[in-house]
Amino acid sequence: MEVISHSNQMRRTADALRASGKKIALVPTMGYLHDGHVSLIRCARKQADVVIVSLFVNPLQFGPNEDFTTYPRDFDRDAALMEGAGVDIVFAPMVEDMYPPGFQTSVVVHHVTKNLCGLSRPGHFEGVTTVVAKLFLCTKPHLAVFGEKDFQQLVVIQRMVKDLGFDIQIIAAPIVREPDGLAMSSRNAYLNLEERKAAVCLSQSLFEAQKLFTDGQRTAALLIDAARKRIAAEPLARIDYIKICDTETLEDIVTITRDAVMAIAVFIGKARLIDNIVLHV
Amino acid sequence: MEVISHSNQMRRTADALRASGKKIALVPTMGYLHDGHVSLIRCARKQADVVIVSLFVNPLQFGPNEDFTTYPRDFDRDAALMEGAGVDIVFAPMVEDMYPPGFQTSVVVHHVTKNLCGLSRPGHFEGVTTVVAKLFLCTKPHLAVFGEKDFQQLVVIQRMVKDLGFDIQIIAAPIVREPDGLAMSSRNAYLNLEERKAAVCLSQSLFEAQKLFTDGQRTAALLIDAARKRIAAEPLARIDYIKICDTETLEDIVTITRDAVMAIAVFIGKARLIDNIVLHV
C-alpha cells in the first residue's frame, strides 16, 4: 500500500496507472474509518484494478461552529484497516496542498443542496463539491464510491458529475449499521455510553415509519409525526430535522407517490448524527 | 476535419486520442472566427498532435440585457477558416447538450472576477468558468490556448485551473490587431463604418498611456486620465471603465511598482469593446 501526500505526485501516479490501462476506483473519506468505509472499499475493490482511498478532513465543508478541529483522526489505525481491506493507494494531502494561499474557487450545486443538511449547514455542500471535484481531478478515477448514509451528499455529487461532465461512474453503497441499527459514522465516536444507547432512536424512528409506509400510509406528515414521537421519547436527543423528500430533487413530498427518502438529523450530546431510509413505492 | 456535436461522442473521441498517445490542444471559441482566433489555432497546432476548436455561444456568460441572441454566428465561414488553419476536430455542441433540463452546477472563481468586466457584467465569469470546466472535462486536452485580449478571462481561467487542479497547461496568446490598431473581436462586426473608425480610440488611448509609462510616469491615475481624454475626444465612444490593475490579483494599482495591466471597456454603437496592454516595470 502506497501513501501519497502531495497532489502533484498523485496526479503523476494516476497518469501512469491510466497509461498502463488500469481501472481506478476512488473512495473519498475523512478518515477515522469504520465498517461502513470498509464496505465502500470492498465495493471499489470488486470493480477496479486499483483502489485509491483519499483521507482528508476538509476544512471547507465545516461551518465556523462545527467540529473541524475535534473531528476524530487516527492515521495509523486507518492505515492498518486500509491495508487489511486491500487498498492500493492512500492519498492523504495536507490542507496547504489542497488549499494553498490565493485559493478562491468553488464548485456549487444550486438546488439539491438547499434542503435537509443544506438548511442546517450553510456552505457545507459547497465545501463537499469543491473538494470532491479536486479529488477527482487529482486521482483521475474511472469510478468513485459514496455511501448512502450521506444520502444528500450522494445526490449532490451525482448532480455535479452529470452537470460538469466528469467522466466518472458514481456508485452508491448501502448504509452499514451496528447490530442495534445505528448507522455507522465516525462521529459515533463522540458518544458516551448513555448517548450511544440513546442514538438507536434514529434508526428505530426510521424503521417504525417504514413499517407504517409498508402498511399503506402515504401521507408524509403522518410518517414524520411517528418518527418525531419516537425521537422525542429520548431525552438525550434533539431533532434537527425529519423530512421526506423526492430522491432526485430532494424537495419535500406531501404524499408519497414516487420513491422518497426519509432523512433525519438529530443532535445527541456533542454529535450531530444523520440517517435515512428510502421508501420505494 | 471532423465535426462533433454531442458531448458524449466528444468524450469518447478524446479518450481514443489519449489512449493512442496523442497530445490534445483545445481552443475554446464562440465562433465567428477572425485572425485572432487563427493565431490561437496556430499556437495550438505548434504544440499538440490534435487541435480541437470548440465553437459554442455560451448563454450562461451573457447577462439578460446582453447580446446572446444577436451574437454573430456563421458556421460555414468558421468551418472553412478552421479547415484552412489545420484544425482536426470542431466541437460544436447544442445548448441543450451542454445544459440539459435540471442543470444546476456552477464553477465560481471568487476574487479575480470582481473587478473590471466583473463589475459591469455580473455573472459573466461564472458562466465562463462553468462552460470552460465543462469543455475541459469533455475534450480532455493537455493544453488550452486563450487570447490575451480577454485578459481577465485568461487570469480567471488560470486561477480555476490551478485551484481545482485541472491537469491542463494554459497558454496565453498575444492580441492580434487590425492595421490601425483595433484589437480583433467578433463584436467588431457590430460596428458601422463611422463607428469602426471611432473604435481606434481604444488602442490609441492604451498606446498613448504606454508611451507616458515608458517615459517614466508611474502614477496610475495620470495614465488613466490621459487615456480617458483620448477616448472622450471621440463622440461615438462611451467609457465603461479604464483601470490599471495587478496582473495576477487584478486589484487596482495606485503606483505602478510591479507588472500591471491597463484594461479598458468602451461602448461604441451597439458594441461593447475591450482592450488592454501590459505595462512591464
Side-chain angles (χ1 to χ4, degrees):
Chain A
M1 189 174 74
E2 187 182 359
V3 178
I4 296 177
S5 56
H6 290 97
S7 48
N8 277 333
Q9 194 196 341
M10 185 65 250
R11 265 186 280 274
R12 296 292 76 81
T13 302
D15 282 343
L17 289 167
R18 280 194 163 245
S20 66
K22 300 290 190 200
K23 191 169 178 183
I24 303 174
L26 172 68
V27 180
T29 84
M30 299 209 299
Y32 213 73
L33 306 180
H34 49 66
D35 283 355
H37 295 107
V38 173
S39 84
L40 305 181
I41 293 168
R42 287 212 185 102
C43 173
R45 186 72 281 163
K46 270 183 219 157
Q47 308 206 36
D49 302 310
V50 177
V51 174
I52 304 176
V53 174
S54 66
L55 204 150
F56 180 61
V57 185
N58 172 35
L60 286 195
Q61 71 190 70
F62 289 80
N65 299 316
E66 292 183 353
D67 55 345
F68 173 66
T69 49
T70 58
Y71 195 86
R73 292 159 170 91
D74 188 339
F75 184 80
D76 293 342
R77 181 174 165 281
D78 288 344
L81 202 147
M82 287 186 279
E83 185 95 54
V87 171
D88 300 293
I89 297 173
V90 180
F91 176 49
M94 306 294 281
V95 170
E96 304 73 44
D97 180 73
M98 293 293 274
Y99 307 121
F103 181 90
Q104 56 183 275
T105 302
S106 301
V107 177
V108 186
V109 176
H110 290 281
H111 304 310
V112 294
T113 52
K114 291 288 180 283
N115 203 353
L116 302 169
C117 289
L119 290 170
S120 324
R121 306 184 68 188
H124 169 67
F125 286 113
E126 185 168 327
V128 169
T129 44
T130 301
V131 81
V132 170
K134 280 176 66 69
L135 291 170
F136 283 172
L137 289 169
C138 192
T139 61
K140 309 188 178 190
H142 297 81
L143 61 98
V145 187
F146 290 83
E148 287 182 345
K149 209 265 280 169
D150 300 304
F151 191 89
Q152 187 173 18
Q153 172 176 277
L154 173 65
V155 171
V156 169
I157 296 298
Q158 282 169 327
R159 192 73 241 177
M160 175 187 81
V161 164
K162 185 172 178 171
D163 285 353
L164 295 186
F166 279 100
D167 214 344
I168 300 171
Q169 185 192 357
I170 302 301
I171 296 174
I175 298 175
V176 177
R177 299 183 178 280
E178 302 284 355
D180 69 352
L182 178 66
M184 292 202 183
S185 165
S186 305
R187 288 191 171 96
N188 292 348
Y190 293 145
L191 304 170
N192 66 27
L193 203 64
E194 205 183 356
E195 290 162 350
R196 172 63 189 80
K197 281 181 194 159
V200 77
C201 72
L202 278 88
S203 58
Q204 285 191 351
S205 72
L206 292 173
F207 297 153
E208 285 178 26
Q210 189 183 36
K211 187 172 179 314
L212 294 174
F213 175 78
T214 307
D215 292 346
Q217 183 54 261
R218 292 292 180 271
T219 303
L222 296 180
L223 299 175
I224 290 169
D225 270 355
R228 186 177 303 280
K229 274 180 196 139
R230 173 66 191 86
I231 296 172
E234 177 49 68
L236 293 178
R238 180 167 64 81
I239 295 170
D240 180 8
Y241 66 72
I242 307 179
K243 287 192 169 235
I244 296 180
C245 301
D246 182 284
T247 50
E248 199 176 322
T249 65
L250 298 186
E251 286 168 3
D252 291 346
I253 282 181
V254 174
T255 306
I256 304 170
T257 55
R258 54 193 191 282
D259 282 359
V261 60
M262 182 162 191
I264 61 180
V266 176
F267 290 97
I268 299 188
K270 291 189 297 290
R272 178 178 174 281
L273 304 178
I274 60 174
D275 199 351
N276 71 82
I277 203 158
V278 175
L279 305 172
H280 294 284
V281 294
Chain B
M1 189 174 75
E2 187 182 1
V3 178
I4 296 177
S5 55
H6 290 97
S7 48
N8 278 332
Q9 193 195 341
M10 185 65 251
R11 266 186 280 274
R12 296 295 74 82
T13 301
D15 282 343
L17 290 167
R18 278 194 165 245
S20 66
K22 301 290 189 199
K23 189 168 180 184
I24 303 173
L26 172 68
V27 181
T29 83
M30 299 209 299
Y32 214 73
L33 306 179
H34 50 65
D35 282 355
H37 296 107
V38 173
S39 84
L40 305 181
I41 294 167
R42 286 214 185 101
C43 174
R45 185 73 282 164
K46 268 183 221 157
Q47 309 205 34
D49 303 309
V50 177
V51 174
I52 303 176
V53 174
S54 65
L55 203 151
F56 181 61
V57 185
N58 173 34
L60 287 194
Q61 72 191 69
F62 288 80
N65 300 315
E66 292 183 353
D67 55 344
F68 173 66
T69 50
T70 56
Y71 196 85
R73 291 159 170 92
D74 188 339
F75 183 79
D76 293 341
R77 182 173 163 281
D78 288 345
L81 201 147
M82 287 186 279
E83 185 94 53
V87 170
D88 300 293
I89 296 172
V90 181
F91 176 49
M94 306 293 283
V95 171
E96 304 74 42
D97 180 73
M98 293 292 275
Y99 307 121
F103 181 90
Q104 56 182 274
T105 302
S106 301
V107 176
V108 186
V109 176
H110 290 280
H111 303 310
V112 294
T113 53
K114 290 288 180 285
N115 203 354
L116 302 169
C117 289
L119 290 170
S120 324
R121 306 184 69 188
H124 168 67
F125 286 113
E126 186 168 325
V128 169
T129 44
T130 301
V131 80
V132 170
K134 280 176 67 68
L135 291 170
F136 283 172
L137 289 169
C138 191
T139 61
K140 308 188 178 191
H142 298 81
L143 61 99
V145 187
F146 290 83
E148 288 182 344
K149 208 265 281 168
D150 300 305
F151 191 89
Q152 188 174 17
Q153 172 177 277
L154 174 65
V155 171
V156 169
I157 296 296
Q158 282 169 327
R159 194 71 241 178
M160 175 186 81
V161 164
K162 186 171 179 172
D163 284 354
L164 294 186
F166 279 99
D167 213 343
I168 300 171
Q169 185 192 356
I170 302 301
I171 296 174
I175 298 175
V176 178
R177 299 183 178 280
E178 302 284 357
D180 69 351
L182 178 65
M184 291 202 185
S185 165
S186 305
R187 288 191 171 95
N188 292 348
Y190 294 146
L191 304 171
N192 66 27
L193 203 65
E194 205 183 356
E195 289 162 351
R196 172 62 190 81
K197 280 181 196 160
V200 76
C201 71
L202 277 87
S203 56
Q204 286 191 351
S205 71
L206 292 173
F207 297 152
E208 284 179 26
Q210 189 183 36
K211 188 173 180 312
L212 294 174
F213 176 78
T214 308
D215 292 347
Q217 184 53 263
R218 292 290 180 272
T219 303
L222 295 180
L223 299 175
I224 290 169
D225 270 355
R228 186 177 303 278
K229 275 180 195 139
R230 174 64 190 87
I231 296 172
E234 178 48 67
L236 293 178
R238 180 166 65 80
I239 295 168
D240 179 8
Y241 65 72
I242 306 179
K243 287 192 168 235
I244 295 179
C245 301
D246 181 285
T247 51
E248 197 176 324
T249 65
L250 298 186
E251 286 167 3
D252 292 346
I253 282 181
V254 174
T255 306
I256 305 170
T257 56
R258 55 194 189 281
D259 283 358
V261 59
M262 182 164 193
I264 61 178
V266 176
F267 290 98
I268 297 188
K270 289 188 299 292
R272 179 178 174 281
L273 304 178
I274 61 175
D275 199 352
N276 71 81
I277 204 158
V278 175
L279 305 172
H280 295 283
V281 295

